[in-house]
Structures are given as structure tokens and as C-alpha cells.
Amino acid sequence: MNPALQALITIVIGVGGCIGYFYLSNMFVDRVLFPAKGEHAGRNINRANMVRPWLFLFPAVFALGLYLAYPVVATMWLSVTDRNLGGAFVGLDNYQRMMGEPKFWEAISNNLLWLTVVPAVSTAFGLLAAQLTDRISWGNIAKSLIFMPMAISFVGASVIFKLVYDTRPAGEEQIGILNALWLSFDGGIGAIIVLRIVPALLLAGFMAFIIYGVYQLLRPLAGGVGRRGGSSAFGVVVRIIVTLAAAWLGYKALVSIYSVLTFDYPYGQPQTWLTISFWNNFFLMVVLIWIQTGFAMVILSAALRGIPEETIEAAVIDGANDFEIFFKIKIPQIMGTVVVVWTTITLVVLKVFDIVFAMTNGQWETQVLANYMFDKLFRANDWGVGSASAMVIMLLVLPILVWNVYNARKEMR
């Protein structure tokens, strides 16, 4: 059958089926289930009006249940069964085996690193781009260029950056931009500034950001649990967990500063960047930051334009400079949007798979949870551990989804 004719038939059947369903369901409610006649006509009309919305929602609810709820339940069941034993129930054995594997903890560690760096850097760059492009005449062109990576798939972006990180044998012409730049260093003052001082300052800035974040997290606890200005018991637990994770990241940053300042760089030799442990994770993160900065810029630019001019004019009259206006007037007014952008990028990071799969396939200590799940499910055919890792990803994503929905409803009220 001709594909065009097949598509036309599909559209006619789909649209016709929807129209037929709504027409027949209306007929059933009004004439069979709750007929608007007799001594209970008024009551039947009210009941029909209560039932009708659910009847119309049924196809969508059924489809969502089939394509969303069922896979979750099925995956949960697979995570507590053993395929090799004919699907026998084994309880938490798969979870125990998963937690006993070093690759799982490597994936957890790398995911935490991604969660800390990518949302923060993407949001910061997006906010900076939104602020600067609104102040120049060719800002729309700049925004288009910054947003353009959003049109590229993760795999396509990975291929582009794989060429950037490409390595050719010593003596051959390097087509990778990073190696071409690397070979231009010879250990002089330029190498010291670019390879030691700048990375150390960036890591120190990251540590300062972590310390400030911990301070903001723990400051409300000074009022006591349950007191005004304090926090609930659940909030205290969450703050302590986040603080411990931040302390671990701060420790990693401190160790990295020492490594950067003392590392013996092999000048004159091309490097295989994606095999350098720890730093290769940052080379992978650059790809996602490059893509997500455009998304953050568009959303935050709209938020900045929605700020009332009166507040900015009042700050100017009071003698505030540009930095004070930006950090003390603009940022507080768009903080809700910043949080939404941050959490949205966080959801993307938790599910990141394509970039790692296409560039390193989880080798050289770059494993992440989604790629670990793929390896278990489709390479090792270990459905139990693979499903268990899928449940871990879902449990990590769920609180952020709930938080986003809560904030959206709060803003609507």
C-alpha cells in the first residue's frame, strides 16, 4: 500500500474513532445511563455532568496508564525476580548484587558530579547570556547562535565534540582542536596560567560556591526545628543529606586543586583526553552544558523581560550600580524561574545516556546510571540488576518531579 494512502487511512480511522467514541459515549450517558426524563430528570442531568468529564478523559488516562504506569510496575516486578530461574521472586537480591558492584558506585559518584556541575554551569551561563544579549543591538542573532545547539541531537553533539577531542599519533597533524591547542604549550608562562592557575581558580570558585550553598542550607536551622525561621524534621534530614553530598564534592575539588598544581604535564605529546580519569567526566559535561545553555537562556531571558521597570528605576534612583541591580533586584524577582530551569536541567542530567554511550561507553571511569542500566539490560542480559538500576533512576527523578509540580501549582495559586 502507498505510504501516503496508509497515512490518510490512519488519520481518518483515528479521527473518526475519536469522534465516534465521544458521540456514542454522550449518547450512552444521556439516554441509557442517566436519561434526562422522569421524576429524577434533574438529578440524572447533574450525575451525567459529573460523569461526562471522566468519560472524555478515559482514552487519555488509559493511554497514559498503558504507556507510563504499566512499564513502571513491570520494571519494579522484574527488579525483584530472576530471569534465569523462570521469573522466580528473589526479593532484594538484585539490589544487593547491584550495590556490590564497583561500577554501580562509580555511576552514582559520576551522576552526583554531573548533577552538581551541569545544572549550575548551564543555568549560570544561560543567565549571563540572557542578561548580556538583551543589552546589545544584535542580541537576537546572538541568542539564535547560542540556542542553535538545542536543535542538535545528543548523539550529533557527541560526534562533534569527539572530533574536538580527537587524538592522532605524535608527529601527525592534529585535527582535534584541543590537541592542537595543547601542543602549542611548552611549559612556559602561558602553560602555567592556562593549565595550573586558571583551573585552580575555577576549582576554588566552585569550592566557594559549595561553601556558600552549605551556609544557605544550614542557616535556617539556626531557628530550630519547627520554630519560626527554622525547618521541619524532614527538611532537616534533606538539608543534612545535601550538606554531606556538598562536603564530598568540596573535598573532591580540594584534592583536584592539589592535583592541578602538582601534576607533571607531558608537554609536546598529544593526549587522549577521554581516557584521563576524573577530567574526562568534565569533557563529557561540556557537551551537555553546550546544549542546555541555550534552553536556560531563552527561559531566563523571558523572565528578565517580565521584571517591572519600576523596581529597576527605583534602584537606579537610590544609587545602585549594575551589579547591585542584577544580583539584588533582578535575581530575587526571577528566582522561581531560575529554580525551574535548574530542576529541569537536573532531570535531563539524571537521565543522561546518549553522550556517555557515544563518546566513552562508560569506560575510563565515566559510567553513569543510565548507561549502567543499558549495559546490564542489553549487553549482560541481566534484567534483574538492570531493572533495579532503572528503579534507582526513577527514585532519584521522582522527588524533583514532585517539587516541580508543587512549585507550578504554588505559582498558579
Side-chain angles (χ1 to χ4, degrees), residues 99-181:
M99 292 182 180
E101 294 186 5
K103 272 291 181 182
F104 170 74
W105 293 109
E106 176 189 313
I108 290 288
S109 174
N110 288 335
N111 265 97
L112 284 174
L113 193 61
W114 280 70
L115 283 172
T116 304
V117 175
V118 175
V121 176
S122 299
T123 305
F125 282 174
L127 186 58
L128 182 64
Q131 174 68 12
L132 295 179
T133 52
D134 283 340
R135 299 170 67 93
I136 57 178
S137 58
W138 49 281
N140 289 333
I141 297 175
K143 285 181 180 178
S144 300
L145 293 174
I146 296 171
F147 187 75
M148 196 175 294
M150 282 290 294
I152 304 174
S153 69
F154 282 7
V155 174
S158 301
V159 171
I160 293 171
F161 274 86
K162 206 166 185 181
L163 292 173
V164 171
Y165 302 143
D166 184 77
T167 303
R168 296 295 175 90
E172 293 187 16
E173 185 177 357
Q174 300 295 324
I175 66 169
I177 297 174
L178 198 56
N179 262 317
L181 290 173

Side-chain angles (χ1 to χ4, degrees), residues 22-45:
F22 291 127
Y23 176 77
L24 293 175
S25 61
N26 258 327
M27 293 279 291
F28 176 73
V29 170
D30 293 335
R31 298 189 180 183
V32 178
L33 198 58
F34 300 113
K37 58 185 178 181
E39 58 179 338
H40 300 299
R43 184 183 67 183
N44 286 351
I45 291 173

